[in-house]
Amino acid sequence: MPRIQQLSTSVVNKIAAGEVIERPASVVKELVENSLDAGATRVDVTVEQGGMELIRVVDNGGGIPADELTLAVASHATSKLRTADDLFQVATMGFRGEALASIAEVSRFSLRSRPPEENAGAELEVVGGQLSPITPCSSPPGTTIEVRNLFFNTPVRRKFMRAAQTELGHIGEAFTRIALAYPQVHFTLRHNNRAMHELPPTDDLRERIGRFFGPELADELIWLESRDEQVELSGYVARPSQSRSHNKMQYLFLNGRAIRDRALQHALSEAYRGLILTGRYPITFLNIRMPADLVDVNVHPTKLEVRFQDGSRLYSQLLGTLRTKFLTTDLTHKLEPVGAAATNDDPAGAHDPAIALERRRELVDWAKGQLASVAPTALPSGNDYAAPPVTRQPVLDFAALRSQHAPLTVNRVLPPRGELRSDSVPAPHMSPPVVASPSATPHSALPTPHLPTSRALQLHNRYLITESAEGMIVIDQHALHERVLYEQLREKVLSGALETQQLLVPEPVDLSPAEAGLVKEHAASLAQVGLNTEPFGGDTILVTSYPAMLRHFRPAEVLRAMVDQLASGNRQLERRDLIDELLHMMSCKAAVKAGDPLTPDEVDALLEQRHLAQDTHHCPHGRPTMLVFTKEELDKQFKRT
Ligand code: ADP
Ligand code: MG
C-alpha cells in the first residue's frame, strides 16, 4: 500500500483550479467579481483568442496594499471572511480565497495594484504557481490583473478548451450575467482589439438590457416588484410575445449574484403557462434580495447554485407576483408590420423565422378571407364549407353539447358573474342564466359610432374579424372560447364552489407503480379538488368521486390527467396547479372548434364574453387568441403615413 502523504500546495491549488477554473470564462467571472467586491465603479475586460492568450481585467476599486500582494495569491487567503460564522453572512461575491491562487497556479499571472491612498503601486508575477519578488511600479488607483496562456502547464485541461469563438461565447455569457446584475457599474469588453460591449453606468436596468439584447426586447418588458418581510423581488419579465426556445435568458440574481435554480425556473414556466407555446421559455431579469443568513451560497464550486432555507415560500412569492401582474396587464399580441426589418443583437435569434412566417400566413389568410366574403352581411349559416371535423375524443360527447349553440353551452353550467349588467336580455334560443346578447347590449366597450351594429365577420368558420378603438382585431374563435371558458371556470373554482359527483360504481384505474405512488402521496390534494380515490390493491386506484364539472369525462381520464400533472410538477405542487390542469382539460374540450359554423348571435355572444374574461389574450395552450392590427400599422402598410 502506498503511504498516506500530505499533498503539496501546488497540487492542492491545481485541484482547486479544476473545480473553480473550468475555462477562460471562469477566470473572467472570478476577476470581475473581485473587482466588484473591491467597490469598483468601472471594470474593463480585455481578452485575446477567446481568453486563451490573454485575459486582462482593470478596475478602479480599493486596490491591494503592497505588503498583501503575496497573500492575495495564496490559497485560503481572503479579506472577506474571518470566522466560520461569517460563512453564513456572506455579503461579498467571493469569500473562499482560492480564485487567485488557482488561476496563478495554471497560468502566467501578473497583478498590479494601488490603493487610492498610496502614491505608487506594486506588482507581482506568478508563473505556474512560482512567485517572483514584488516590485514597485506606476499604476492608476485600482487593480490590474493579467492572465496569459491559461492552462499552459496543465495540458489535459488545455485540450478541453474549444475554439476561440466558443470560449468567447462563454466569456460573453459570464460578462453579461454580471453586467446585468450591476447596471450602475461601467463595464467594457474587448476581444482581439475589437469593442464588444461598452456599457455606461445607469440606474435603469431596462437600459442595460437594451444594450445587450436590443430595443425590441427592452420595449417588451414588464416591471415587477414584491416584498414580504424578508424577501424582496424586483426586475423585468418579457411579454409573452418574446420567448425563446431555450431557458438561458432566464436571468435570476440572488443578492447580486447570478444563480440557476430549477424550482424558480419551474415557477416561471408555471406563471407563463398558457401565455406562451409549449417548448418556449420566458425571458426574465429578476433580482431577489434576502438576508444572507436565509440562503447558503457555499454549496456549489462556482456558487451558481444556492440552497434556500425556505425555497417553497420563495417559489410561491415568485409565482404569485407574476400571476397577479399578468392578470392586471394587457398582454394583447400586437402584430408587427409585415416586412419590418428584423434587427437584433441577440445571438440566440430573437426573431424566430417560424413565428414571423406564421404571422405572415395569418395575414394572408385574413386577406383571402376578405376577398371571399364580398357580401359581409351574408354570413354562412347553411354553409358550403366542409362539415365540422369529427371530434378527436370520441368518448366525450361534446359534439352533442356544441350542437346546442356551442359558445353558450357552458354558461348553463356556470351562472354568469356578478358584473353582468342587470338589463341583460337573454337571446331567444338561450335558456337562462346566460350571457347578454349583444343585440340587447351593443358593444359599448367597442366604440363604433358609424356602424349600426358592430357584429363581427366569421371567416372560414374559424376567424372572427371586428374592430376596436385601436384598430382591427382578428380572433381565433376556438382559442378565444377556450380562454373564456378557462377564465370562467377558474373564477368559479377559486371561489370554492367546486361540487363533486359521487360515482355509484367506483371506477378502478390501473396505473404504473410510480403513478400509483404519486396518487397515494397526493391523495389529500386530489380530494381537495374533488377527486376522491382509494387504493385498490397493487397499482390499481379506485376513483370514488370526481368534480361534477367534469361529468362529461370518464373518471379514468380525469385521474390520468391529474397524474400527468403530479408527475410533471414534481417539486412544489400546489392545489392551484391541479385546478389549472382541470380547467385546461375542460375548456379545451368544451370550446367551439375551428370549422364550427356559428350563427351571428353566437358570434356576438362570444365576442361579448371576451370582455368578461380577465385575461383573454391567449388560449390556455399558448396560441394567441387574437391579433390586433392597429390603425397606425394599417396606415403604414397602405403607405398612408
Ligand atoms: P476571495 O475573493 O474569495 O476573497 P480571491 O482569491 O478571489 O478570494 O482573492 C483573494 C483576495 O485578494 C481578496 O479577498 C481580496 O482581498 C484581494 N483581491 C483580489 N482581487 C482584488 C481586486 N480586484 N481589488 C482589490 N482586492 C482584490
Ligand atoms: Mg474572489
Side-chain angles (χ1 to χ4, degrees), residues 30-31 34-35 37-38 59 61-64 68 71-74 77-80 93-101 113 143 145 303:
E30 293 295 335
L31 296 184
N34 278 346
S35 299
D37 279 346
D59 71 49
I64 308 172
E68 289 182 24
L71 268 178
V73 296
T78 176
S79 56
K80 302 166 195 175
M93 308 276 273
F95 54 84
R96 292 178 189 145
E98 62 185 358
L100 293 191
S113 193
T143 303
I145 291 183
K303 312 175 190 98

Side-chain angles (χ1 to χ4, degrees), residues 87-102:
L87 253 188
F88 304 99
Q89 296 290 347
V90 174
T92 47
M93 308 276 273
F95 54 84
R96 292 178 189 145
E98 62 185 358
L100 293 191
S102 305

